[in-house]
Amino acid sequence: VSDLQKFFDALPEEGVSADPCSPVAATTGQLRLDFENELRCQAVQLDSQLPQVLHGPANGLPYCLQAAPELGFQLDGFLKFCGAGMNTTLLDQEHVLEFSTYYVATKHAASTGHSLIGLLDRAKHYAEFVTLYHPSTRRLTIFKVFLNDVLPTGRRAGVRAAA
């Protein structure tokens, strides 16, 4: 965690300990928005280093995906990309810590730029795993396990990757 992140974490939430109309609260809120926007911009810039097949999912994340060639469960012939960060649930807008893992077959990971074939191909050439940690209830939820016929069958790869 950066010093800047610690600084923003220590700031009071708008409307909790300060008048939301006060200059202090307005400045704090603007600083938070500027910081979050900066993080999103950094994530988009890093997106160009990802395989083309991950550009779509990565653009919807409020955090960066990075190659993780030595972390956790690995599969021969696949590249692993991971990311984690704060997000909100769609239903009740609860703040959660979200962990995402993607596996891409090496043959689909070669392209990092746009291609006409990639735009026309509707198949998802990645396996996706998303886990949420709910700090308010101290609950861990396996939110998404989409194998998309990408991982090898008969090796329990989906179960091992989700664990």
Side-chain angles (χ1 to χ4, degrees):
V1 177
S2 72
D3 291 335
L4 190 57
Q5 180 65 47
K6 290 177 188 175
F7 169 75
F8 283 110
D9 289 343
L11 289 174
E13 290 292 326
E14 289 183 50
V16 173
S17 59
D19 176 7
C21 297
S22 75
V24 172
T27 302
T28 301
Q30 186 58 47
L31 287 173
R32 282 184 195 280
L33 289 175
D34 290 346
F35 181 66
E36 290 172 4
N37 286 337
E38 178 65 26
L39 289 177
R40 283 189 176 87
C41 289
Q42 290 173 3
V44 170
Q45 289 171 357
L46 290 175
D47 220 24
S48 64
Q49 299 171 4
L50 292 175
Q52 175 64 33
V53 297
L54 290 181
H55 283 204
N59 283 332
L61 299 174
Y63 49 84
C64 302
L65 288 178
Q66 298 177 344
E70 297 177 8
L71 297 175
F73 176 67
Q74 300 288 330
L75 284 164
D76 290 337
F78 290 85
L79 298 178
K80 180 179 181 179
F81 296 86
C82 296
M86 294 304 292
N87 208 348
T88 53
T89 58
L90 293 175
L91 224 43
D92 53 6
Q93 295 298 306
E94 177 187 5
H95 291 282
V96 294
L97 180 57
E98 183 175 287
F99 303 93
S100 296
T101 302
Y102 294 85
Y103 289 92
V104 178
T106 307
K107 65 182 177 183
H108 293 294
S111 172
T112 58
H114 294 285
S115 71
L116 185 57
I117 294 171
L119 293 173
L120 297 175
D121 187 3
R122 295 221 180 261
K124 294 184 178 178
H125 297 287
Y126 57 86
E128 179 179 21
F129 302 87
V130 179
T131 304
L132 307 176
Y133 174 69
H134 305 261
S136 60
T137 59
R138 303 174 96 185
R139 182 181 75 220
L140 193 65
T141 304
I142 297 174
F143 178 70
K144 192 185 292 187
V145 177
F146 290 158
L147 302 180
N148 297 327
D149 293 326
V150 172
L151 299 181
T153 58
R155 294 176 44 196
R156 302 182 52 83
V159 172
R160 293 171 60 198

